Amino acid sequence: GPGASGAGRALTPTPQAPSSLAHPGSYTLAPPLAAMRDMFPTGLETKYRIVEKLGAGGYGDIFRAFWLQTGTEVALKVLKSVVDTDVDRQRFRREAEVAKRLTDAHSVRVLDFGQDPAAPAFISFELLQGRTLNHVIAEGALTEVRAIGLGVQIASSLAEAHLLGIVHRDIKPANIMLLEGFPGDFVKVMDFGIAKVISNEGGAALTAAGEMLGTPSYMAPEQIRGDHVGPQTDVYSLALLLVECLTDNRNRAATDVR
């Protein structure tokens, strides 16, 4: 999910969906819009009109964009590298198609995706309005009751994903959005963009052996080693996230996996 151009900045929600925005701590804040127009990826102009760049993460750039087909604003994630091999294209399409099937109320909705040898691969998400869990934890440790409530909602999203054979692989506070406009906490799990699809049909594995994606501070041991990941990988990351909620302990922060 994308990052707003100021901490806690709220975006005006669209009639259909509110901003799938990630914490500025996870993304490099964008320069003014006038300096960014030439940075919008070529090849997508017929489908989307840029509104602003929200930030850049490890796996792609995030734009607030106008989806011409529907007339709505979306969070548009453009992958940094072109999906340019047959295996890449097969994996991206498979993962995006499965992620689009997520219907749990606590999973960010995938609206559209595309890939073309002449343009970057992209995924568009509903635009959400709220604060990431990063912002909330920065204000202090949460009560046990509140942390349990958040954990139940995150687990609900992951349970459906796991039943569909999807492993998120990057559960962390920056990917958990607490929406505005609800009497209590209402969670959306964001950024299924590096999710792995586990084949339940005996198909060929589409993730290269030894491939490691995720955030070191929240990785399970098998993920760090580049071994096979499964639902237990997300459960491990969720447990670390809940420890952080209860203790406000960020001393585990890491920039590599050594």
Side-chain angles (χ1 to χ4, degrees):
S5 57
R9 173 188 168 193
L11 298 180
T12 303
T14 64
Q16 261 112 357
S19 163
S20 160
L21 311 185
H23 186 267
S26 297
Y27 292 98
T28 303
L29 295 183
L33 179 59
M36 306 214 359
R37 295 191 184 277
D38 293 337
M39 298 173 63
F40 190 66
T42 58
L44 301 181
E45 301 90 340
T46 60
K47 297 196 69 172
Y48 294 94
R49 189 178 74 228
I50 185 173
V51 176
E52 61 179 325
K53 185 175 182 178
L54 297 170
Y59 309 105
D61 295 328
I62 309 297
F63 298 89
R64 182 178 179 180
F66 188 75
W67 190 9
L68 299 177
Q69 178 180 324
T70 63
T72 58
E73 284 190 328
V74 299
L76 180 66
K77 183 167 190 173
V78 181
L79 304 191
K80 284 191 171 179
S81 59
V82 177
V83 178
D84 56 1
T85 70
D86 288 341
V87 171
D88 286 340
R89 282 191 288 271
Q90 184 183 7
R91 179 172 64 180
F92 174 80
R93 176 167 291 279
R94 182 176 178 181
E95 293 178 355
E97 285 177 344
V98 175
K100 198 172 180 180
R101 291 166 54 195
L102 294 172
T103 60
D104 187 85
H106 300 293
S107 299
V108 65
R109 287 188 299 128
V110 174
L111 303 176
D112 185 30
F113 65 90
Q115 55 181 355
D116 188 292
F122 71 90
I123 306 177
S124 67
F125 303 89
E126 63 179 320
L127 202 60
L128 305 174
Q129 183 179 17
R131 297 193 302 164
T132 65
L133 188 53
N134 253 353
H135 279 122
V136 176
I137 296 175
E139 297 171 354
L142 308 186
T143 65
E144 292 183 8
V145 171
R146 190 177 187 190
I148 290 171
L150 296 178
V152 167
Q153 295 179 60
I154 297 168
S156 176
S157 169
L158 293 177
E160 181 196 36
H162 295 162
L163 286 174
L164 291 173
I166 302 172
V167 182
H168 188 287
R169 294 202 288 185
D170 201 21
I171 294 297
K172 60 184 179 181
N175 281 337
I176 306 300
M177 176 72 79
L178 277 62
L179 300 190
E180 295 180 357
F182 290 85
D185 293 323
F186 192 91
V187 163
K188 284 277 189 174
V189 177
M190 304 186 297
D191 206 355
F192 280 87
I194 67 167
K196 176 182 178 180
V197 174
I198 301 172
S199 175
N200 293 319
E201 303 167 356
L206 298 179
T207 300
E211 181 181 45
M212 185 182 70
L213 297 173
T215 303
S217 297
Y218 302 92
M219 281 184 177
E222 67 273 13
Q223 195 173 5
I224 291 175
R225 293 191 300 264
D227 293 343
H228 174 77
V229 299
Q232 75 282 354
T233 305
D234 287 341
V235 173
Y236 186 97
S237 298
L238 175 57
L240 292 179
L241 178 150
L242 291 175
V243 168
E244 189 169 324
C245 285
L246 292 168
T247 63
D248 188 25
N249 180 6
R250 301 194 176 194
N251 293 329
R252 296 177 302 98
T255 56
D256 58 42
V257 297
R258 289 174 295 178

